[in-house]
Amino acid sequence: MNALLQVENLRVEIAARKRRLVAIDDVSFEIAAGEVLGVVGESGAGKSVTGTAVLGLLEAPAVQAGGRILFDGRRIDTLSEEGMRALRGKEIAAVFQDPLTSLDPLMTIGDQLTETMLTHLPMTRAEGEARAGELLAEVGIPAPRERLQAYPHELSGGMRQRVVLALAFCCAPRLIIADEPTTALDVSIQAQILDLLRRMCRERGTAVMLVTHDMGVIAEVADRVAVMYAGRVAEIGPTRQLIAHAAHPYTRGLMASIPSMRRREKELTQIPGAMPRPDAPVAGCAFHPRCPQAFARCAAERPPAFPVGAARVACWLADPAFEGVPA
Ligand code: SF4
Ligand code: MG
């Protein structure tokens, strides 16, 4: 794969009082140009931390303690704050769950769009303002010219997230990190925003890392999916393969819960037990206390990622040398 983004063996640690907790452990994945990679897992699995690391926005006490992040073949995790800021907004944009974290409450949305474009693109203010109006029209804001004068609080949540998308796309980024972009919205609005994100990415060939706890969202939008569990990638592969033949017992549990996905509270909670937290790590495979197929080796040794079709699966059952559980 010709990767636009490569995350290699990423490790993120959190400095706690007497020790360093491991939040992200040996996470590797890549995203091709124009591809949508869904990153799914329970809350606390490390999805957002991974996205934050890619954006170069990790904050103490969280630090990148290992691995590399490359964008377009160039290492970005070693860039200066200034270098990273130039990349963010221009080449890599972010969409977060709460539109108000992306929007400045004291600036009109027209000014925010215009200023962002003037920061990164060679254009005049008049050109920027004209483009801002076009962008609002593209994201489906009614009466876009008048709306340029509006402040974020004057818009509904759904309209604000449309503005955030306009802002994310205004400098024609090649990658968007979208972290639960529809979770804070009314269910009736969620599908509209997701459709808009998908359409804009398709039209522009923009790649997306779509972080969500909602397997239904992944099934609808993602080309490939990375399933995270306890700070690691349990399984990564084409969405269709994972839906049809998930190899990892955790992924299978997630897939079994898809039909009820639309009832928001129930997602991913149908596998009995809880995911281990960074302050109480589990030896061997982190999923073994909950895994219906666990056997002795699972508690003792951590499985590496084995290839299964076009997927990679961190489970001993996927080991080509696996010959069945010893009696
Ligand atoms: Fe289950 Fe063992 Fe596979 Fe982990 S390695 S998912 S415990 S079978
Ligand atoms: Mg999160």
Side-chain angles (χ1 to χ4, degrees):
M1 178 169 37
N2 219 337
L4 177 67
L5 179 76
Q6 291 164 269
V7 174
E8 298 177 351
N9 312 109
L10 178 68
R11 182 180 177 91
V12 174
E13 295 180 351
I14 298 168
R17 233 192 266 193
K18 283 198 185 120
R19 53 196 177 133
R20 290 164 78 103
L21 309 177
V22 181
I24 299 293
D25 193 1
D26 200 17
V27 162
S28 297
F29 62 89
E30 37 320 285
I31 303 181
E35 181 185 50
V36 179
L37 176 74
V39 179
V40 71
E42 289 166 76
S43 149
K47 315 179 297 289
S48 297
V49 179
T50 304
T52 307
V54 171
L55 287 163
L57 292 173
L58 285 176
E59 278 179 13
V63 290
Q64 184 179 335
R68 312 194 303 162
I69 302 172
L70 293 92
F71 182 76
D72 207 12
R74 191 165 65 108
R75 203 157 166 192
I76 58 169
D77 57 313
T78 48
L79 283 178
S80 65
E81 181 47 42
E82 196 185 346
M84 201 59 214
R85 210 175 307 130
L87 202 64
R88 268 196 315 263
K90 170 91 181 74
E91 304 276 1
I92 306 178
V95 176
F96 297 113
Q97 176 172 337
D98 178 3
L100 292 178
T101 58
S102 307
L103 300 173
D104 183 337
L106 302 177
M107 262 174 115
T108 67
I109 59 179
D111 281 347
Q112 295 188 49
L113 284 163
T114 306
E115 291 303 330
T116 304
M117 285 186 278
L118 290 180
T119 303
H120 296 290
L121 303 175
M123 54 166 58
T124 65
R125 181 162 292 275
E127 286 166 344
E129 282 166 2
R131 183 75 194 113
E134 290 166 17
L135 278 161
L136 290 192
E138 280 175 58
V139 297
I141 304 257
R145 297 240 135 251
E146 290 94 274
R147 284 304 188 182
L148 289 172
Q149 311 309 322
Y151 288 89
H153 75 266
E154 297 176 287
L155 303 175
S156 69
M159 286 295 154
R160 279 200 289 261
Q161 200 62 310
R162 287 175 188 271
V163 173
V164 170
L165 288 184
L167 201 57
F169 280 99
C170 74
C171 297
R174 285 188 288 165
L175 174 66
I176 289 187
I177 311 288
D179 191 345
E180 305 274 9
T182 60
T183 303
L185 303 173
D186 287 350
V187 177
S188 59
I189 309 290
Q190 288 182 5
Q192 295 174 19
I193 297 295
L194 209 56
D195 279 346
L196 179 63
L197 174 66
R198 177 169 44 183
R199 182 164 56 73
M200 293 184 82
C201 287
R202 286 232 176 105
E203 286 169 3
R204 292 160 168 79
T206 314
V208 188
M209 176 179 165
L210 177 64
V211 169
T212 177
H213 63 284
D214 187 336
M215 203 57 225
V217 167
I218 297 281
E220 279 170 40
V221 181
D223 300 308
R224 285 191 310 131
V225 48
V227 177
M228 289 194 70
Y229 190 81
R232 314 192 89 220
V233 175
E235 179 164 11
I236 180 169
T239 307
R240 237 178 284 171
Q241 180 182 331
L242 264 65
I243 288 176
H245 329 274
H248 197 288
Y250 180 62
T251 315
R252 273 190 236 130
L254 292 189
M255 294 302 167
S257 63
I258 288 186
S260 62
M261 277 298 152
R262 288 306 168 205
R263 281 173 287 141
R264 287 182 73 195
E265 303 310 319
K266 296 199 74 176
E267 315 99 349
L268 311 196
T269 56
Q270 302 189 339
I271 305 165
M275 191 176 61
R277 298 276 149 182
D279 60 349
V282 161
C285 172
F287 188 54
H288 86 260
R290 294 169 85 184
C291 181
Q293 285 163 276
F295 55 105
R297 188 177 195 179
C298 305
E301 279 180 82
R302 170 183 281 181
F306 299 103
V308 176
R312 294 198 310 265
V313 183
C315 170
W316 288 120
L317 299 175
D319 181 351
F322 180 67
E323 285 174 346
V325 179

PDB file of all heavy atoms in Angstrom, residues 235-238 241-242 245 247 306-313 318:
ATOM      1  N   GLU A 235      -7.184  -6.272  15.884  1.00  0.00           N
ATOM      2  CA  GLU A 235      -7.359  -6.766  14.521  1.00  0.00           C
ATOM      3  C   GLU A 235      -7.487  -5.566  13.600  1.00  0.00           C
ATOM      4  O   GLU A 235      -8.114  -4.564  13.950  1.00  0.00           O
ATOM      5  CB  GLU A 235      -8.625  -7.642  14.433  1.00  0.00           C
ATOM      6  CG  GLU A 235      -8.902  -8.188  13.036  1.00  0.00           C
ATOM      7  CD  GLU A 235      -9.901  -9.353  13.031  1.00  0.00           C
ATOM      8  OE1 GLU A 235     -10.530  -9.597  14.075  1.00  0.00           O
ATOM      9  OE2 GLU A 235     -10.016 -10.013  11.989  1.00  0.00           O
ATOM     10  N   ILE A 236      -6.874  -5.644  12.433  1.00  0.00           N
ATOM     11  CA  ILE A 236      -7.009  -4.579  11.444  1.00  0.00           C
ATOM     12  C   ILE A 236      -7.148  -5.223  10.075  1.00  0.00           C
ATOM     13  O   ILE A 236      -6.440  -6.184   9.768  1.00  0.00           O
ATOM     14  CB  ILE A 236      -5.815  -3.589  11.496  1.00  0.00           C
ATOM     15  CG1 ILE A 236      -5.990  -2.482  10.458  1.00  0.00           C
ATOM     16  CG2 ILE A 236      -4.468  -4.295  11.329  1.00  0.00           C
ATOM     17  CD1 ILE A 236      -4.998  -1.331  10.614  1.00  0.00           C
ATOM     18  N   GLY A 237      -8.090  -4.728   9.288  1.00  0.00           N
ATOM     19  CA  GLY A 237      -8.284  -5.311   7.967  1.00  0.00           C
ATOM     20  C   GLY A 237      -9.442  -4.651   7.241  1.00  0.00           C
ATOM     21  O   GLY A 237     -10.070  -3.734   7.775  1.00  0.00           O
ATOM     22  N   PRO A 238      -9.731  -5.130   6.024  1.00  0.00           N
ATOM     23  CA  PRO A 238     -10.837  -4.563   5.248  1.00  0.00           C
ATOM     24  C   PRO A 238     -12.159  -4.727   6.005  1.00  0.00           C
ATOM     25  O   PRO A 238     -12.415  -5.796   6.576  1.00  0.00           O
ATOM     26  CB  PRO A 238     -10.846  -5.403   3.969  1.00  0.00           C
ATOM     27  CG  PRO A 238      -9.486  -6.030   3.882  1.00  0.00           C
ATOM     28  CD  PRO A 238      -9.028  -6.205   5.301  1.00  0.00           C
ATOM     29  N   GLN A 241     -14.163  -7.815   5.166  1.00  0.00           N
ATOM     30  CA  GLN A 241     -13.621  -9.065   5.709  1.00  0.00           C
ATOM     31  C   GLN A 241     -13.930  -9.200   7.203  1.00  0.00           C
ATOM     32  O   GLN A 241     -14.298 -10.267   7.681  1.00  0.00           O
ATOM     33  CB  GLN A 241     -12.098  -9.136   5.475  1.00  0.00           C
ATOM     34  CG  GLN A 241     -11.494 -10.435   6.028  1.00  0.00           C
ATOM     35  CD  GLN A 241      -9.976 -10.515   5.858  1.00  0.00           C
ATOM     36  OE1 GLN A 241      -9.409  -9.950   4.932  1.00  0.00           O
ATOM     37  NE2 GLN A 241      -9.315 -11.228   6.762  1.00  0.00           N
ATOM     38  N   LEU A 242     -13.777  -8.066   7.918  1.00  0.00           N
ATOM     39  CA  LEU A 242     -14.012  -8.148   9.363  1.00  0.00           C
ATOM     40  C   LEU A 242     -15.477  -8.402   9.686  1.00  0.00           C
ATOM     41  O   LEU A 242     -15.799  -9.085  10.657  1.00  0.00           O
ATOM     42  CB  LEU A 242     -13.509  -6.888  10.076  1.00  0.00           C
ATOM     43  CG  LEU A 242     -12.096  -7.047  10.649  1.00  0.00           C
ATOM     44  CD1 LEU A 242     -11.064  -7.233   9.556  1.00  0.00           C
ATOM     45  CD2 LEU A 242     -11.741  -5.874  11.544  1.00  0.00           C
ATOM     46  N   HIS A 245     -15.944 -12.265   8.268  1.00  0.00           N
ATOM     47  CA  HIS A 245     -15.189 -13.299   8.979  1.00  0.00           C
ATOM     48  C   HIS A 245     -14.192 -12.658   9.932  1.00  0.00           C
ATOM     49  O   HIS A 245     -12.995 -12.732   9.670  1.00  0.00           O
ATOM     50  CB  HIS A 245     -14.348 -14.196   8.045  1.00  0.00           C
ATOM     51  CG  HIS A 245     -14.895 -14.417   6.685  1.00  0.00           C
ATOM     52  ND1 HIS A 245     -15.788 -15.408   6.423  1.00  0.00           N
ATOM     53  CD2 HIS A 245     -14.685 -13.776   5.510  1.00  0.00           C
ATOM     54  CE1 HIS A 245     -16.094 -15.385   5.136  1.00  0.00           C
ATOM     55  NE2 HIS A 245     -15.443 -14.405   4.560  1.00  0.00           N
ATOM     56  N   ALA A 247     -11.644 -12.493  12.721  1.00  0.00           N
ATOM     57  CA  ALA A 247     -10.834 -13.595  13.232  1.00  0.00           C
ATOM     58  C   ALA A 247     -10.595 -13.467  14.729  1.00  0.00           C
ATOM     59  O   ALA A 247     -10.451 -14.463  15.428  1.00  0.00           O
ATOM     60  CB  ALA A 247      -9.498 -13.640  12.486  1.00  0.00           C
ATOM     61  N   PHE A 306      -0.729 -11.700  13.576  1.00  0.00           N
ATOM     62  CA  PHE A 306      -0.561 -12.689  12.512  1.00  0.00           C
ATOM     63  C   PHE A 306      -1.402 -12.289  11.305  1.00  0.00           C
ATOM     64  O   PHE A 306      -2.518 -11.801  11.479  1.00  0.00           O
ATOM     65  CB  PHE A 306      -1.039 -14.076  12.992  1.00  0.00           C
ATOM     66  CG  PHE A 306      -0.282 -14.613  14.178  1.00  0.00           C
ATOM     67  CD1 PHE A 306      -0.843 -14.582  15.443  1.00  0.00           C
ATOM     68  CD2 PHE A 306       0.993 -15.151  14.008  1.00  0.00           C
ATOM     69  CE1 PHE A 306      -0.144 -15.077  16.545  1.00  0.00           C
ATOM     70  CE2 PHE A 306       1.696 -15.659  15.105  1.00  0.00           C
ATOM     71  CZ  PHE A 306       1.122 -15.616  16.372  1.00  0.00           C
ATOM     72  N   PRO A 307      -0.882 -12.513  10.079  1.00  0.00           N
ATOM     73  CA  PRO A 307      -1.704 -12.217   8.897  1.00  0.00           C
ATOM     74  C   PRO A 307      -2.820 -13.248   8.733  1.00  0.00           C
ATOM     75  O   PRO A 307      -2.576 -14.455   8.902  1.00  0.00           O
ATOM     76  CB  PRO A 307      -0.705 -12.291   7.729  1.00  0.00           C
ATOM     77  CG  PRO A 307       0.449 -13.087   8.237  1.00  0.00           C
ATOM     78  CD  PRO A 307       0.476 -12.972   9.731  1.00  0.00           C
ATOM     79  N   VAL A 308      -4.020 -12.766   8.452  1.00  0.00           N
ATOM     80  CA  VAL A 308      -5.167 -13.633   8.135  1.00  0.00           C
ATOM     81  C   VAL A 308      -5.865 -12.990   6.943  1.00  0.00           C
ATOM     82  O   VAL A 308      -6.512 -11.962   7.085  1.00  0.00           O
ATOM     83  CB  VAL A 308      -6.161 -13.731   9.315  1.00  0.00           C
ATOM     84  CG1 VAL A 308      -7.381 -14.564   8.905  1.00  0.00           C
ATOM     85  CG2 VAL A 308      -5.503 -14.322  10.552  1.00  0.00           C
ATOM     86  N   GLY A 309      -5.728 -13.562   5.762  1.00  0.00           N
ATOM     87  CA  GLY A 309      -6.236 -12.901   4.557  1.00  0.00           C
ATOM     88  C   GLY A 309      -5.581 -11.535   4.457  1.00  0.00           C
ATOM     89  O   GLY A 309      -4.361 -11.412   4.585  1.00  0.00           O
ATOM     90  N   ALA A 310      -6.391 -10.489   4.276  1.00  0.00           N
ATOM     91  CA  ALA A 310      -5.843  -9.141   4.178  1.00  0.00           C
ATOM     92  C   ALA A 310      -5.783  -8.459   5.544  1.00  0.00           C
ATOM     93  O   ALA A 310      -5.497  -7.277   5.637  1.00  0.00           O
ATOM     94  CB  ALA A 310      -6.687  -8.309   3.214  1.00  0.00           C
ATOM     95  N   ALA A 311      -6.074  -9.208   6.604  1.00  0.00           N
ATOM     96  CA  ALA A 311      -6.096  -8.622   7.947  1.00  0.00           C
ATOM     97  C   ALA A 311      -4.850  -9.013   8.749  1.00  0.00           C
ATOM     98  O   ALA A 311      -4.090  -9.904   8.340  1.00  0.00           O
ATOM     99  CB  ALA A 311      -7.360  -9.073   8.692  1.00  0.00           C
ATOM    100  N   ARG A 312      -4.635  -8.314   9.855  1.00  0.00           N
ATOM    101  CA  ARG A 312      -3.624  -8.719  10.836  1.00  0.00           C
ATOM    102  C   ARG A 312      -4.361  -8.905  12.156  1.00  0.00           C
ATOM    103  O   ARG A 312      -5.134  -8.044  12.565  1.00  0.00           O
ATOM    104  CB  ARG A 312      -2.549  -7.630  10.994  1.00  0.00           C
ATOM    105  CG  ARG A 312      -1.681  -7.391   9.785  1.00  0.00           C
ATOM    106  CD  ARG A 312      -0.385  -6.643  10.160  1.00  0.00           C
ATOM    107  NE  ARG A 312      -0.604  -5.454  10.963  1.00  0.00           N
ATOM    108  CZ  ARG A 312      -0.711  -4.224  10.455  1.00  0.00           C
ATOM    109  NH1 ARG A 312      -0.636  -4.040   9.160  1.00  0.00           N
ATOM    110  NH2 ARG A 312      -0.887  -3.195  11.251  1.00  0.00           N
ATOM    111  N   VAL A 313      -4.085 -10.022  12.804  1.00  0.00           N
ATOM    112  CA  VAL A 313      -4.882 -10.418  13.952  1.00  0.00           C
ATOM    113  C   VAL A 313      -3.975 -10.778  15.130  1.00  0.00           C
ATOM    114  O   VAL A 313      -3.168 -11.699  15.025  1.00  0.00           O
ATOM    115  CB  VAL A 313      -5.771 -11.636  13.593  1.00  0.00           C
ATOM    116  CG1 VAL A 313      -6.652 -12.017  14.767  1.00  0.00           C
ATOM    117  CG2 VAL A 313      -6.599 -11.341  12.354  1.00  0.00           C
ATOM    118  N   ALA A 318      -4.919 -17.258  15.606  1.00  0.00           N
ATOM    119  CA  ALA A 318      -4.574 -16.912  14.221  1.00  0.00           C
ATOM    120  C   ALA A 318      -3.141 -17.303  13.888  1.00  0.00           C
ATOM    121  O   ALA A 318      -2.693 -17.115  12.756  1.00  0.00           O
ATOM    122  CB  ALA A 318      -4.784 -15.419  13.998  1.00  0.00           C
TER     123      ALA A 318
END
